[in-house]
């Protein structure tokens, strides 16, 4: 059976459109329910939660590279900038605009995935 690290690497390397539980389960040779269970057991968070974190990271990374909020949000799979902003506020309790200077610092420290 593939390790969870391998599963996470597949998620991080694929585009937003390939980040579905069904596609990942097929790629690693597990049923969706088994992968969902192993994922949350090994990583301590749900598959959907992890994918949401990746989408937020992708948006912030694009913002740090100079993209507009709308372009960054759309590229990361959000329906629009407002959808990203609502999600960000729900997850972190503040608006993305409140992080303006921290985004470039965060992306510089995180480096390439």
């Amino acid at each position: 059976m593939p390790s969870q690290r391998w599963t996470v690497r597949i998620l991080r390397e694929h585009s937003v459109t390939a980040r579905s539980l069904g596609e990942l389960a097929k790629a690693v040779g597990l049923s969706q329910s088994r992968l969902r269970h192993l994922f949350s057991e090994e990583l301590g968070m749900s598959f959907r939660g992890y994918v949401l974190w990746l989408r937020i990271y992708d948006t912030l990374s694009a913002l740090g590279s100079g993209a507009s909020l709308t372009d960054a949000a759309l590229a990361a799979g959000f329906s629009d900038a407002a959808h990203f902003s609502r999600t960000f506020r729900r997850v972190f309790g503040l608006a993305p605009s409140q992080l303006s200077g921290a985004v470039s610092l965060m992306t510089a420290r995180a480096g390439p995935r």
Side-chain angles (χ1 to χ4, degrees):
M1 173 179 7
S3 72
Q4 292 310 109
R5 287 184 188 187
W6 189 72
T7 304
V8 169
R9 186 180 43 120
I10 289 173
L11 269 175
R12 293 181 85 174
E13 290 174 355
H14 280 71
S15 69
V16 173
T17 58
R19 292 180 182 164
S20 77
L21 183 64
E23 291 172 3
L24 185 60
K26 188 174 182 178
V28 299
L30 296 171
S31 70
Q32 289 184 37
S33 61
R34 183 67 182 146
L35 178 60
R36 184 181 299 114
H37 172 78
L38 287 173
F39 198 93
S40 62
E41 182 179 282
E42 294 292 322
L43 295 174
M45 68 186 314
S46 70
F47 175 83
R48 288 179 64 166
Y50 187 80
V51 170
L52 180 62
W53 275 96
L54 287 178
R55 291 171 59 205
I56 290 170
Y57 176 86
D58 290 346
T59 304
L60 293 175
S61 181
L63 287 171
S65 297
S68 71
L69 179 58
T70 299
D71 290 343
L74 291 173
F78 292 97
S79 57
D80 55 27
H83 178 210
F84 168 74
S85 294
R86 283 190 310 274
T87 302
F88 191 92
R89 185 179 295 276
R90 180 175 45 87
V91 171
F92 296 107
L94 59 140
S97 60
Q98 293 176 272
L99 291 180
S100 59
V103 170
S104 58
L105 177 62
M106 183 199 77
T107 56
R109 284 189 172 172
R113 297 193 286 157

